[in-house]
Amino acid sequence: QVQLVESGGGLVQAGGSLRLSCAASGRTFRSYGMGWFRQAPGKEREFVSAISLSGGETTYPDSVKGRFTISRDNAKNTVYLQMNSLKPEDTAVYYCAAGLQMGQRAWQYSYWGQGTQVTVSA
């Protein structure tokens, strides 16, 4: 069992930056691939980024590539999402998730956080 708690969301102007954190409980954090997803009102949940168990491999969709960076600190049981050059279309609730391996599909993740709101004003 893994419990995930996101933090770091907020309101930022377009072009600004935010860093999201996701703290995981339990001693098996390093056994899980981690992902970030987001969901805007009226839209489906969207893949944002994922990172492998060791942190050596990451993946992003084109919509955030070059602007967002995922990282993890296995000693702190935490995964991060650094978001730069934010755009109004990045506004959404951001969720972190844990799964047996990194992936781009929500069904590949077994554990989810409660989400943190990110709002980017024009």
Side-chain angles (χ1 to χ4, degrees):
Q1 189 80 8
V2 177
Q3 293 185 328
L4 305 172
V5 179
E6 302 97 335
S7 61
L11 174 64
V12 63
Q13 288 187 333
S17 298
L18 283 175
R19 189 176 81 154
L20 306 183
S21 299
C22 175
S25 65
R27 301 179 180 178
T28 59
F29 176 73
R30 64 184 67 236
S31 299
Y32 291 94
M34 299 297 297
W36 285 96
F37 290 76
R38 66 187 181 187
Q39 189 165 19
K43 295 187 177 181
E44 294 185 353
R45 192 163 295 193
E46 176 188 18
F47 169 71
V48 175
S49 64
I51 190 166
S52 62
L53 280 65
S54 67
E57 183 180 356
T58 59
T59 184
Y60 308 89
D62 288 343
S63 58
V64 307
K65 193 174 295 183
R67 300 188 298 122
F68 291 10
T69 302
I70 189 172
S71 61
R72 67 189 295 165
D73 185 337
N74 286 344
K76 295 183 178 179
N77 283 10
T78 303
V79 62
Y80 305 97
L81 184 67
Q82 178 66 43
M83 305 185 295
N84 299 328
S85 302
L86 283 161
K87 305 174 181 180
E89 51 264 43
D90 294 319
T91 295
V93 177
Y94 283 70
Y95 300 89
C96 72
L100 293 180
Q101 56 186 342
M102 62 182 291
Q104 300 185 20
R105 300 289 183 263
W107 61 262
Q108 294 176 291
Y109 294 87
S110 302
Y111 303 101
W112 293 81
Q114 83 289 348
T116 185
Q117 176 71 46
V118 171
T119 303
V120 184
S121 62

